[in-house]
Amino acid sequence: MGGAVVWWTVACLSVACWVAWAETADFAVLPGADERLPSVGVETATGRNADLRELLEGEVAVVVPFYTRCPSTCSLLMAGWSALARRLQQEAVRWVGLSFDPRDSREDLQQYARRWGLEEWILVRADSEAIARVVEALRIGIRRDSVTGAYEHPNVALVVTPLGRISRCIAGIRPEEEQVRLALWEARREEAGLGIVEGLLLRCFRFDAGKQRYVLDWSFVAQLGSGVIFLGCVLLWMAWERRRRR
């Protein structure tokens, strides 16, 4: 028992060191809209017509808004998240690419999936009215240039809980693995229980709105460390007592 607690403490500190090492200026974790995604009709790249809310409910989802004709950052955004999704294969996550360009067709999505290795993702498109409702719920600013047809848009991904609530907005084209993992665990906690290790690691961190990321909760770690020391002392005393009585 004592050894397991010590191992969990070391694991928490290891994750903290990794998070501190991986910090970059072009990455931020932001509060989500804290509301459910709207119930709108979408079409997937495979031709399936579905309700967006029903498509995502039941499992933690990461939704990445993009459009296939983007001449600038969408390719970098999707490449970064595609690489991260492969590294997080052990996590139960539904990866979704949401096109906010009504011109994107099912064939466009299929070609885009092949180009950026998104075959395991769910890519969806919708009409202008449905897109407007989704963008409003996501609270992200998107504007189309009437001359060039290009969109001005933020590079973000949204973490959605199993109940369809937008819990976190993750900004940047280079998502940090450990920060994203913490956001996924936090979202999963809404409906399903976390494992002991995941729950303890998540408890060792708190979301800092000022720094726009998860940071180590030193207060909890100090309490945990005190408990480990106390437990270790008790175990040593019990072992010493057993030997003394022999």
Side-chain angles (χ1 to χ4, degrees):
M1 177 66 180
V5 175
V6 172
W7 184 89
W8 287 336
T9 305
V10 172
C12 292
L13 293 174
S14 298
V15 173
C17 292
W18 169 257
V19 169
W21 174 82
E23 287 187 359
T24 56
D26 58 353
F27 175 86
V29 180
L30 307 171
D34 203 29
E35 63 181 60
R36 297 182 72 194
L37 284 171
S39 179
V40 298
V42 297
E43 180 186 23
T44 70
T46 59
R48 173 189 171 192
N49 292 313
D51 181 277
L52 179 62
R53 181 184 294 176
E54 295 177 357
L55 187 65
L56 300 185
E57 284 185 343
E59 194 171 36
V60 173
V62 173
V63 179
V64 184
F66 77 105
Y67 72 110
T68 64
R69 293 173 174 80
C70 181
S72 54
T73 57
C74 280
S75 57
L76 298 174
L77 179 69
M78 297 304 288
W81 280 99
S82 175
L84 180 61
R86 289 192 291 272
R87 297 199 299 271
L88 295 178
Q89 288 182 349
Q90 301 304 317
E91 299 287 342
V93 183
R94 197 167 292 162
W95 301 94
V96 180
L98 171 68
S99 170
F100 49 76
D101 186 350
R103 297 172 299 176
D104 278 341
S105 65
R106 184 175 64 190
E107 291 73 22
D108 290 330
L109 297 182
Q110 292 173 352
Q111 182 178 1
Y112 200 81
R114 290 192 294 269
R115 184 187 309 163
W116 298 110
L118 305 172
E119 289 84 356
E120 302 300 319
W121 286 51
I122 302 174
L123 300 187
V124 300
R125 59 168 302 279
D127 59 32
S128 300
E129 182 179 350
I131 290 172
R133 290 185 59 192
V134 174
V135 169
E136 181 180 4
L138 298 180
R139 299 182 185 176
I140 55 176
I142 296 176
R143 188 181 70 85
R144 183 171 181 264
D145 189 306
S146 58
V147 177
T148 65
Y151 285 85
E152 294 181 4
H153 62 89
N155 297 308
V156 298
L158 292 306
V159 178
V160 182
T161 71
L163 299 181
R165 185 177 61 83
I166 305 166
S167 62
R168 292 292 177 203
C169 176
I170 299 177
I173 60 176
R174 292 189 296 169
E176 297 177 11
E177 181 175 343
E178 296 307 323
Q179 289 282 324
V180 173
R181 194 187 300 273
L182 289 168
L184 298 177
W185 290 351
E186 183 182 49
R188 187 175 301 126
R189 187 176 57 183
E190 180 181 81
E191 184 179 47
L194 293 173
I196 295 177
V197 175
E198 292 176 346
L200 182 61
L201 286 173
L202 181 60
R203 181 60 187 84
C204 287
F205 290 84
R206 61 179 177 82
F207 178 69
D208 188 317
K211 294 184 178 180
Q212 299 182 339
R213 61 179 53 245
Y214 294 93
V215 298
L216 193 65
D217 188 341
W218 288 107
S219 175
F220 176 76
V221 171
Q223 294 175 17
L224 181 62
S226 299
V228 170
I229 293 173
F230 175 76
L231 181 59
C233 291
V234 171
L235 293 175
L236 288 173
W237 177 80
M238 292 175 63
W240 178 79
E241 277 290 308
R242 281 199 299 269
R243 288 186 178 182
R244 187 177 65 84
R245 292 177 180 177
R246 288 177 180 174

